[in-house]
Amino acid sequence: MMILKSQELSRALRAQIKERAALFRQSKGRSPSLAVILVGQDPASQVYVRNKVAACEEVGFKSAHHELPENTDKAELRSLIEGLNADPTVDGILVQLPLPKHLSSDEVISWISPSKDPDALTVENQGLLFVGRPRVAPCTPSGVIELLKHYKISMAGKNAVVIGRSQIVGKPMAQLLLMENATVTIAHSKTADLQAVTSQADILVVAAGRPKMIQSQHVKKGAVVIDVGIHRTATGLCGDVDLESLAGHALAVSPVPGGVGPMTITMLLMNTLKLAESSFPRG
Ligand code: NAD
């Protein structure tokens, strides 16, 4: 069974991004820049934000990190985002989710200018993706497509099943697979017979958020399985797929950690760079 690790691909893409960032700096006199906003003190979010800021520095981006207290009100957050929207030296604005309960993530995301939205979560960017003309696409599913291409796993004409229908992973994942000419099915928490659906998949992407829920009986022999899930357990990280149970059964599986995870931040950097490169003139 092939293990679809992303370290080498991620390193190569980041080297490419670093080179393009240097060219950008030479021609525009400033680095591509990402503003990251964290509201509150969720420890997992703090780690994600730290990793994103460090990744920006590694490829020569400027990153500004805005940490706001848990009780930040709507007006304050909106005025920060609108200030960043108006700042011509900011290329990307990322609001780390989840937000504290008193703030609606849909509403907050709607304040971000779509031309500065590297997570591709604004309605405009989701719409562009779903009409097949993405400005940028959400980072995790974009990373899955890059990983499949890197391992030369063709998608055209294949039965692809995506488990999960979130706005950030499942739905855009299905759309990106469709754009690669796969025949796509989305399964979700109300799917009547999950195993009947997943066992038809040549390519199975699992983004359900349920530790090790997918085992060999869900998987067709010779299928490719991509595990998007991330769970912290007492013994370390695990995904939505029980990788060991697929040995000798699946053709290939992406591991957790070391599979999809690192690709997400790499695609965030790529999306920020694309927004920077297309920002002249910004209007
Ligand atoms: P979510 O909770 O928003 O969505 C989960 C989806 O799975 C829902 O659409 C639900 O219908 C479906 N689902 C839940 N239980 C199911 C079941 N038993 N059978 C079939 N479908 C089921 O989660 P999300 O934000 O889409 O993230 C999914 C997972 O991916 C989580 O574990 C999350 O931590 C992980 N994730 C990883 C990355 C990364 O960088 N690798 C990025 C984002 C999310």
Side-chain angles (χ1 to χ4, degrees):
M1 182 170 73
M2 205 176 6
I3 303 296
L4 306 175
K5 293 187 184 162
S6 63
Q7 194 184 30
E8 189 190 315
L9 168 62
S10 190
R11 205 182 286 139
L13 285 172
R14 289 187 196 201
Q16 215 186 84
I17 293 167
K18 192 172 183 174
E19 265 175 41
R20 274 164 64 180
L23 288 176
F24 181 92
R25 198 160 40 250
Q26 273 168 22
S27 71
K28 313 296 183 198
R30 68 167 182 87
S31 300
S33 81
L34 177 68
V36 182
I37 301 172
L38 174 63
V39 186
Q41 309 227 303
D42 176 61
S45 294
Q46 285 175 327
V47 173
Y48 290 138
V49 164
R50 260 205 304 280
N51 289 345
K52 287 169 187 176
V53 169
C56 282
E57 279 160 18
E58 178 201 317
V59 296
F61 288 7
K62 186 178 159 223
S63 71
H65 179 184
H66 302 268
E67 267 196 46
L68 304 178
E70 181 87 20
N71 63 358
T72 299
D73 67 21
K74 259 169 64 167
E76 222 176 317
L77 181 56
R78 185 170 188 160
S79 114
L80 171 63
I81 292 176
E82 286 178 350
L84 295 167
N85 282 340
D87 182 342
T89 68
V90 172
D91 300 299
I93 303 166
L94 182 154
V95 177
Q96 183 64 43
L97 301 177
L99 286 166
K101 289 204 172 26
H102 66 284
L103 296 165
S104 143
S105 53
D106 283 348
E107 186 178 14
V108 170
I109 286 163
S110 77
W111 300 330
I112 299 172
S113 163
S115 65
K116 297 192 177 190
D117 166 30
D119 268 341
L121 289 178
T122 56
V123 169
E124 181 175 313
N125 285 334
Q126 295 257 328
L128 284 168
L129 173 63
F130 280 86
V131 294
R133 293 186 282 119
R135 176 189 271 131
V136 284
C139 304
T140 301
S142 300
V144 171
I145 297 288
E146 291 298 324
L147 192 61
L148 289 168
K149 287 184 174 169
H150 176 71
Y151 282 97
K152 304 205 173 359
I153 294 164
S154 70
M155 291 165 264
K158 298 284 173 62
N159 281 339
V161 172
V162 179
I163 307 181
R165 55 175 163 182
S166 71
Q167 217 55 41
I168 195 161
V169 186
K171 280 189 212 164
M173 185 72 255
Q175 173 64 8
L176 290 173
L177 287 162
L178 188 60
M179 288 169 67
E180 297 294 335
N181 299 311
T183 302
V184 183
T185 305
I186 303 180
H188 48 76
S189 53
K190 299 284 190 289
T191 296
D193 185 347
L194 186 68
Q195 191 173 323
V197 176
T198 58
S199 56
Q200 298 300 310
D202 302 308
I203 298 172
L204 177 62
V205 181
V206 192
R210 301 276 179 271
K212 299 198 179 185
M213 72 176 272
I214 292 299
Q215 305 184 338
S216 64
Q217 72 270 21
H218 297 98
V219 175
K220 180 162 101 175
K221 194 160 173 49
V224 172
V225 181
I226 302 290
D227 190 354
V228 178
I230 306 182
H231 309 280
R232 264 162 244 284
T233 70
T235 51
L237 292 182
C238 81
D240 286 359
V241 175
D242 182 356
L243 187 140
E244 281 83 30
S245 82
L246 301 187
H249 182 74
L251 174 68
V253 185
S254 72
V256 177
V260 173
M263 292 304 294
T264 296
I265 293 189
T266 300
M267 298 318 289
L268 172 69
L269 298 172
M270 185 63 93
N271 283 352
T272 303
L273 178 69
K274 282 184 187 165
L275 295 177
E277 289 174 341
S278 62
S279 69
F280 288 89
R282 178 172 270 138

